[in-house]
Amino acid sequence: MKTIIKILLAVFVLSFVPAKYASAQTKKWSYQGIFSEGMSMVIDANDKCGFIDGKSKLVIPCQWEWANPFYEGLASVQDANGKNGFINKTGKVVIPCQWKGAGSFSEGLADVQDANDKWGYIDKTGKVLIPCQWKGAGSFSEGLAYVEDENYKYGFIDKTGNLVIPCQWGFVGSFSEGLAPVRDSNGKWGFIDKTGKVVIPCQWEWAHAYSEGLAAVKDANKKYGFIDKTGKVVIPCKWEDDLSTFSFKNGLAAVKDAHGTWGYIDKTGKVVIPCKWKEASEFSEGLAAVQNISDRWGFIDMKGEIAFLCRFINVTPFRNGRASVIDINGKTSFIYKTRKDAK
């Protein structure tokens, strides 16, 4: 079921980092989200949300109770009455705050919740294109969106609102690379295609969406591995049951070994960055966040070399060359790669 989740905010302290990277200090915010479409949501001392641009200039005043990142030029916001609508990048309300809940735009449509707790979809003019009739709904991906009926079963609709895959699954994920993970009545996971045909039998304890041709799965021993699109196990299920990244990005995936430490494997299953980190995230823009034994976060590059020293309480992934971080004093700012060093 769709909910609006608050985004972790970040901060950066000018500190010693490798010379090939640069940093910039920004105004102190209570929270600062990831950059999306050149904008980052911030929360001020009065717990109100607004947006800054890439130069850390406040371009949309902090006046909203909550705000989601910009997608497809619009961001959902919540007003003082708890109603949700959408603003454009000038801060203008282009879809009035009248919805009990709202997601983000994807493929031209956004999921919204009416006063009766039912979900449907609107276009960018605010027109309801798919009536609010579902108990839950997700964003459109590859032309389809999952919906939940009154029996707590999941299926998929197309952009006209037609139910093209019946609500028969205990739970589902969005379509990615032509396939979607589904959970059957026995609690087992497999994959269906866009016709609803089961193409990979429901035999796994858990399954994640495909990324770069592979999908993470969990076996009966609670170990993780990866399968290809035929369902063949190409990376054996030997990794620990705490896989928080789930997918390959830029040819690498984070994995946790039997000792509880994290590293990265390639698509052959070879460990290319040794398992020595307490936590690790997937790569974004050539950098991945890692946590050391002192619970401090930093970033490594795809060779495993330190890009930013582990000195932050928390971080967000790099987006558009920037990453939000929180320093040991709880101050907020961001770090960024210089243009000449961007891959």
Side-chain angles (χ1 to χ4, degrees):
M1 187 180 301
K2 197 84 175 182
T3 56
I4 299 176
I5 301 174
K6 286 198 173 183
I7 303 171
L8 172 69
L9 196 291
V11 64
F12 174 70
V13 160
L14 276 176
S15 59
F16 171 69
V17 295
K20 64 178 181 178
Y21 293 95
S23 60
Q25 211 162 14
T26 67
K27 183 177 180 179
K28 297 176 183 178
W29 303 102
S30 297
Y31 290 94
Q32 178 183 323
I34 63 171
F35 278 89
S36 178
E37 299 185 3
M39 308 277 274
S40 174
M41 186 275 288
V42 293
I43 300 179
D44 68 11
N46 296 315
D47 209 27
K48 300 296 184 181
C49 300
F51 288 86
I52 60 172
D53 63 15
K55 297 180 179 179
S56 298
K57 179 183 178 182
L58 185 66
V59 291
I60 297 177
C62 294
Q63 58 181 305
W64 303 103
E65 298 302 307
W66 183 246
N68 280 329
F70 275 92
Y71 289 103
E72 298 185 2
L74 299 178
S76 61
V77 293
Q78 185 179 88
D79 68 14
N81 297 315
K83 299 297 185 180
N84 297 274
F86 291 82
I87 60 173
N88 63 19
K89 290 186 178 180
T90 69
K92 179 183 178 180
V93 176
V94 293
I95 298 176
C97 293
Q98 58 180 308
W99 301 102
K100 188 172 182 179
S104 298
F105 274 93
S106 177
E107 300 184 2
L109 298 176
D111 47 321
V112 292
Q113 184 185 39
D114 69 11
N116 297 315
D117 294 330
K118 300 297 184 182
W119 289 83
Y121 295 83
I122 60 173
D123 65 15
K124 291 184 178 180
T125 70
K127 180 181 179 181
V128 176
L129 294 188
I130 299 175
C132 295
Q133 58 182 306
W134 300 104
K135 188 176 184 66
S139 298
F140 274 90
S141 177
E142 300 185 359
L144 299 177
Y146 67 77
V147 290
E148 180 188 12
D149 69 12
E150 289 302 314
N151 296 315
Y152 302 96
K153 297 295 184 181
Y154 290 79
F156 290 85
I157 60 173
D158 63 20
K159 289 186 176 181
T160 68
N162 289 326
L163 187 65
V164 294
I165 297 176
C167 293
Q168 59 181 309
W169 301 103
F171 201 67
V172 299
S174 297
F175 274 91
S176 177
E177 300 184 6
L179 300 176
V182 294
R183 188 182 71 197
D184 69 12
S185 58
N186 297 315
K188 302 295 185 181
W189 288 81
F191 289 85
I192 60 173
D193 64 17
K194 290 185 177 181
T195 70
K197 178 183 177 181
V198 176
V199 293
I200 297 175
C202 295
Q203 59 182 304
W204 301 102
E205 298 300 308
W206 182 86
H208 194 264
Y210 277 88
S211 178
E212 299 185 4
L214 299 179
V217 292
K218 182 171 70 172
D219 70 9
N221 296 317
K222 297 185 178 180
K223 302 293 185 181
Y224 283 89
F226 290 83
I227 60 174
D228 64 18
K229 288 188 175 180
T230 70
K232 179 183 177 181
V233 177
V234 293
I235 297 176
C237 294
K238 66 177 185 178
W239 301 103
E240 289 303 301
D241 183 15
D242 191 18
L243 197 59
S244 61
T245 55
F246 307 131
S247 58
F248 276 91
K249 293 293 176 66
N250 303 123
L252 299 180
V255 291
K256 183 180 180 181
D257 68 13
H259 302 291
T261 53
W262 290 77
Y264 293 82
I265 59 173
D266 64 17
K267 289 184 177 181
T268 70
K270 179 183 177 182
V271 176
V272 292
I273 297 177
C275 293
K276 64 178 184 178
W277 301 102
K278 187 173 181 179
E279 296 284 351
S281 67
E282 64 187 23
F283 277 90
S284 176
E285 300 185 5
L287 296 177
V290 291
Q291 185 186 48
N292 65 15
I293 59 175
S294 299
D295 295 329
R296 296 291 184 261
W297 288 87
F299 288 88
I300 59 172
D301 63 23
M302 296 184 69
K303 294 181 180 179
E305 297 177 354
I306 297 292
F308 289 92
L309 295 176
C310 293
R311 57 184 300 113
F312 306 115
I313 294 175
N314 222 322
V315 298
T316 62
F318 272 88
R319 295 287 187 273
N320 302 318
R322 297 174 176 84
S324 298
V325 296
I326 300 175
D327 75 5
I328 59 176
N329 297 313
K331 296 179 181 178
T332 65
S333 184
F334 64 88
I335 55 176
Y336 67 95
K337 300 184 295 183
T338 61
R339 185 179 299 274
K340 69 178 181 180
D341 291 306
K343 301 295 183 183

